[in-house]
């Protein structure tokens, strides 16, 4: 429903001038945010639908703004991408997640648990990405298997060669690669076979109506078959209800993520969930 009001017609509107000014202010403040220690990581659990256990988390960036409070990525990631600042944010995220995984070493024991981070386009083609991740994980004595990057087709498109060199480098280390936002305009089936990925995350827009719309349910069943045929694990995001979780489990979907299982929250909340039972 988010896109309903969006028009294709480009008309210059006085509000756009203000928007430009506002964007400039946000960018200036965002530059200070990293050195000022205002970025935060929230973790959202991923669960195995088939075994009802927590198998990892997605790390999502937040900006604890001194005046505006906790800001979500929709507010600043676009601006960060345009300015290249997203690479610094990404580097900060890699370090923060590696440090957190290091702190969790004892909590995690030998459990199957990996944290996913979102890779922006600029990061995915940045030379030295695999080295950076390798060094950072080593610094905190974190096994590469505990770290996964989520990528979208668009994020790889600007420089496919540099990106695929990075992904292969990460795979060589043992870092996981997963395809994000599958089923949106930013993904195509050829990528399922071309990328060195282990899992595919179906976008929440695919999952949204599976309970009320039998055609959507059938469609998701077919997508799950496609993912399986490609030899990949399936993840459903945006699961908000028990009915959605039940249908996806019955269709053989491997992993699930969404408010039904847990909202993104501070690391301490995530730590409390590890090893605990799930809502069912
Ligand atoms: P995404 O990768 O698709 O992440 C999932 C988004 O869905 C998150 O929004 C999450 O809070 C939200 N979500 C989770 N469960 C549910 C649910 O059951 N229902 C609904 N309606 N939403 C759910 P968030 O945290 O606002 O992040 C938005 C986007 O910002 C992410 O979409 C990702 O593309 C980007 N992003 C977040 N963190 C980072 C980061 O560290 N680096 C980069 N480059 N991008 C990031
Ligand atoms: Ca993601
Ligand atoms: Ca996603
Ligand atoms: Ca999404």
């Amino acid at each position: 429903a988010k896109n309903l009001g969006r028009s294709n017609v480009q008309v210059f509107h006085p509000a756009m001038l203000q928007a430009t000014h506002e964007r400039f202010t946000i960018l200036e403040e965002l530059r200070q945010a990293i050195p000022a220690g205002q970025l935060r990581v929230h973790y959202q659990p991923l669960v195995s639908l088939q075994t009802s256990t927590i198998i990892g988390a997605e790390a999502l960036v937040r900006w604890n703004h001194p005046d505006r409070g906790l800001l979500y990525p929709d507010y600043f990631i676009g601006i960060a991408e345009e300015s290249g600042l997203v690479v610094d944010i990404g580097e900060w995220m890699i370090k923060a997640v590696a440090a957190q995984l290091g702190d969790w070493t004892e909590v995690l024991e030998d459990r199957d648990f990996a944290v996913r981070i979102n890779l922006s386009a600029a990061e995915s083609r940045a030379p030295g990405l695999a080295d950076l991740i390798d060094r950072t994980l080593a610094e905190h004595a974190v096994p590469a298997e505990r770290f996964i990057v989520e990528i979208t087709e668009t994020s790889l498109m600007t420089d496919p060669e540099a990106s695929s060199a990075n992904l292969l480098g990460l795979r060589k280390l043992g870092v996981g690669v997963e395809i994000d936002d599958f089923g949106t305009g930013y993904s195509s089936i050829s990528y399922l076979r071309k990328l060195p990925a282990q899992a595919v995350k179906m976008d929440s827009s695919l999952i949204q109506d599976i309970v009320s719309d039998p055609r959507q349910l059938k469609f998701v069943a077919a997508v799950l078959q496609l993912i399986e045929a490609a030899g990949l694990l399936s993840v459903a995001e945006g699961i908000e209800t028990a009915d959605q979780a039940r249908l996806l489990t019955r269709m053989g979907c491997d992993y699930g993520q969404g408010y039904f299982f847990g909202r993104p929250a501070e690391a301490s909340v995530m730590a409390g969930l590890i090893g605990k039972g799930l809502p069912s």
Side-chain angles (χ1 to χ4, degrees):
K2 252 190 200 163
N3 295 325
L4 282 181
R6 206 172 277 171
S7 152
N8 291 321
V9 187
Q10 293 288 320
V11 182
F12 190 78
H13 194 272
M16 285 170 73
L17 257 184
Q18 217 187 334
T20 309
H21 179 73
E22 162 120 358
R23 290 171 79 83
F24 184 76
T25 309
I26 295 171
L27 180 58
E28 286 309 297
E29 291 180 347
L30 188 56
R31 280 189 210 288
Q32 314 297 323
I34 301 178
Q38 293 167 2
L39 295 187
R40 299 280 180 277
V41 188
H42 279 187
Y43 294 86
Q44 184 178 32
L46 265 86
V47 308
S48 162
L49 294 173
Q50 306 303 324
T51 65
S52 289
T53 52
I54 291 179
I55 52 89
E58 178 170 8
L60 297 155
V61 68
R62 305 289 182 250
W63 177 10
N64 191 16
H65 191 285
D67 313 318
R68 300 180 220 227
L70 197 68
L71 300 175
Y72 289 78
D74 286 348
Y75 184 86
F76 60 90
I77 280 288
I79 294 170
E81 274 168 354
E82 282 167 28
S83 64
L85 206 56
V86 76
V87 177
D88 302 289
I89 295 176
E91 187 171 335
W92 182 86
M93 284 292 285
I94 290 165
K95 290 178 176 165
V97 167
Q100 187 62 68
L101 279 166
D103 284 353
W104 280 341
T105 301
E106 271 142 54
V107 187
L108 292 174
E109 299 174 330
D110 54 357
R111 273 180 241 279
D112 196 5
F113 186 96
V115 174
R116 283 106 179 120
I117 64 156
N118 292 283
L119 219 55
S120 64
E123 288 175 275
S124 80
R125 61 171 184 266
L129 175 73
D131 270 355
L132 170 69
I133 292 178
D134 188 24
R135 271 187 284 114
T136 311
L137 292 176
E139 203 174 301
H140 299 278
V142 173
E145 292 68 31
R146 292 224 186 277
F147 200 83
I148 295 175
V149 297
E150 292 189 358
I151 46 151
T152 63
E153 179 171 356
T154 10
S155 76
L156 306 179
M157 257 162 22
T158 42
D159 192 342
E161 270 143 54
S163 306
S164 77
N166 270 335
L167 295 184
L168 288 172
L170 290 172
R171 285 305 300 139
K172 225 182 262 172
L173 296 174
V175 169
V177 174
E178 298 187 353
I179 299 171
D180 201 2
D181 294 345
F182 191 71
T184 66
Y186 308 111
S187 60
S188 64
I189 55 174
S190 65
Y191 266 65
L192 293 185
R193 300 195 51 212
K194 270 194 244 162
L195 291 176
Q198 294 80 58
V200 180
K201 202 181 249 191
M202 294 183 291
D203 192 66
S204 52
S205 58
L206 288 185
I207 309 305
Q208 216 165 31
D209 298 323
I210 55 170
V211 176
S212 58
D213 183 352
R215 286 182 57 205
Q216 191 61 24
L217 184 66
K218 267 193 167 176
F219 184 75
V220 168
V223 172
L224 284 168
Q225 284 192 346
L226 184 71
I227 295 171
E228 199 190 343
L232 302 170
L233 292 168
S234 48
V235 189
E237 73 173 10
I239 300 177
E240 295 184 349
T241 68
D243 284 341
Q244 289 172 332
R246 196 156 36 236
L247 287 172
L248 287 158
T249 305
R250 197 185 303 156
M251 289 189 291
C253 184
D254 297 298
Y255 302 150
Q257 178 183 358
Y259 296 163
F260 175 64
F261 299 111
R263 293 193 174 241
E266 285 170 20
S268 58
V269 177
M270 188 67 233
L273 290 174
I274 295 166
K276 295 259 168 64
L278 301 169
S280 56

